Amino acid sequence: SVVGAFRTGKSFLLTWFLKYMYALEKAQKEGKSLNDEETPWFKEFDSLGNEGFEWKAGSDRNTTGIWMWNRPFFLHKAQGENLAVLLVDTQGMFDHKTTMNLTAAIFG
């Protein structure tokens, strides 16, 4: 999960994480490592687009509430352990539209 002030790139960063998780999951299913690939995983797409957590430029908030990707990523660690990864996006803190009570309820 990524938490921070509003308009600081949390959704954009999570979309990068999402692209990485898909690439890592694919490589592991094929019995490969991302380090084995000739072309780095991040060069396999032309643009980041909006095919993940919604993000946009500007000064107005975009994400409201808490958003979780629609499925976990199941990965295998080098030590043989299995790991489930959930990606969670949250609205930014300290915007001018959210009350302090709601901010405290979301972020604790």
Side-chain angles (χ1 to χ4, degrees):
S1 155
V2 177
V3 176
F6 79 108
R7 305 305 310 157
T8 55
K10 294 174 299 299
S11 300
F12 179 83
L13 180 62
L14 276 163
T15 299
W16 269 104
F17 289 166
L18 187 60
K19 295 276 190 179
Y20 175 78
M21 296 305 295
Y22 275 118
L24 183 59
E25 186 179 63
K26 179 183 173 193
Q28 286 189 352
K29 284 182 180 177
E30 295 172 355
K32 299 178 181 177
S33 166
L34 285 182
N35 297 330
D36 296 340
E37 303 296 319
E38 286 184 33
T39 304
W41 66 271
F42 54 86
K43 290 190 176 184
E44 292 186 10
F45 48 92
D46 293 327
S47 75
L48 193 57
N50 226 345
E51 300 169 353
F53 291 94
E54 186 177 327
W55 60 274
K56 65 180 179 180
S59 60
D60 294 330
R61 75 177 182 183
N62 191 48
T63 305
T64 56
I66 300 172
W67 293 82
M68 184 183 307
W69 195 245
N70 63 355
R71 69 175 192 85
F73 291 89
F74 296 101
L75 306 173
H76 309 288
K77 294 175 64 176
Q79 300 85 354
E81 299 173 320
N82 293 323
L83 178 69
V85 177
L86 298 170
L87 296 178
V88 179
D89 194 8
T90 61
Q91 74 182 46
M93 297 186 293
F94 315 122
D95 67 14
H96 303 290
K97 296 180 182 178
T98 307
T99 66
M100 289 306 287
N101 286 339
L102 182 55
T103 298
I106 293 172
F107 302 108

